[in-house]
Amino acid sequence: QVQLVESGGGLVQPGGSLRLSCEASGSISSIYSMAWYRQAPGKQRQLVALITHVGISNYSDSAKGRFTISRDNAKNTMYLQMHSLKPEDTAVYYCGARASIYEQFGSWGQGTQVTVSS
């Protein structure tokens, strides 16, 4: 079982930056890949970015060029560096993990609120 705890959200002005963190504990060795998802009010949770245990990353179209996902295996922590934030980035951001490419992401944390507003 993997436990995930997100942090780093907050209120930021349009064009600003934030760095989210996701600390993992438990069965760390079972993690194949980790991901950031977000859920805006009234909308479905959607993938923002993912990263595998060897550092291969992939991004949604909305995140490409603005967000960077990274992973510090020594600290059991994943990050999402977000730049050029827009109001439409406002959402609760969740991190998830999966044990193989054939599984859905799960082990969700409690989420961290990101609000982009002037």
Side-chain angles (χ1 to χ4, degrees), residues 2-6 22-25 28 31 34-35 76 78 94-98 106-111:
V2 175
Q3 293 80 43
L4 302 172
V5 178
E6 304 95 336
C22 171
E23 185 173 358
S25 60
I28 307 298
I31 296 175
M34 298 179 71
N76 296 329
M78 176 180 66
Y94 299 91
C95 62
R98 61 183 179 183
S107 301
W108 303 106
Q110 81 289 350

Side-chain angles (χ1 to χ4, degrees), residues 5-8 19-23 34-38 45-51 58 60 67-70 77-82 92-96 105 108 111-112:
V5 178
E6 304 95 336
S7 62
R19 188 177 81 156
L20 306 183
S21 299
C22 171
E23 185 173 358
M34 298 179 71
W36 286 100
Y37 278 70
R38 68 186 183 188
R45 191 173 297 189
Q46 58 180 197
L47 177 67
V48 176
L50 64 85
I51 187 166
N58 201 0
S60 66
F67 296 179
T68 302
I69 191 170
S70 61
T77 301
M78 176 180 66
Y79 304 97
L80 185 68
Q81 179 68 56
M82 304 185 292
V92 178
Y93 284 69
Y94 299 91
C95 62
F105 282 101
W108 303 106
T112 186

Side-chain angles (χ1 to χ4, degrees), residues 1-4 24-34 51-54 71 73 76 96-107:
Q1 193 78 0
V2 175
Q3 293 80 43
L4 302 172
S25 60
S27 303
I28 307 298
S29 60
S30 68
I31 296 175
Y32 169 75
S33 60
M34 298 179 71
I51 187 166
T52 70
H53 64 299
V54 294
R71 186 168 169 174
N73 289 332
N76 296 329
R98 61 183 179 183
S100 80
I101 196 170
Y102 303 108
E103 296 183 8
Q104 298 286 335
F105 282 101
S107 301

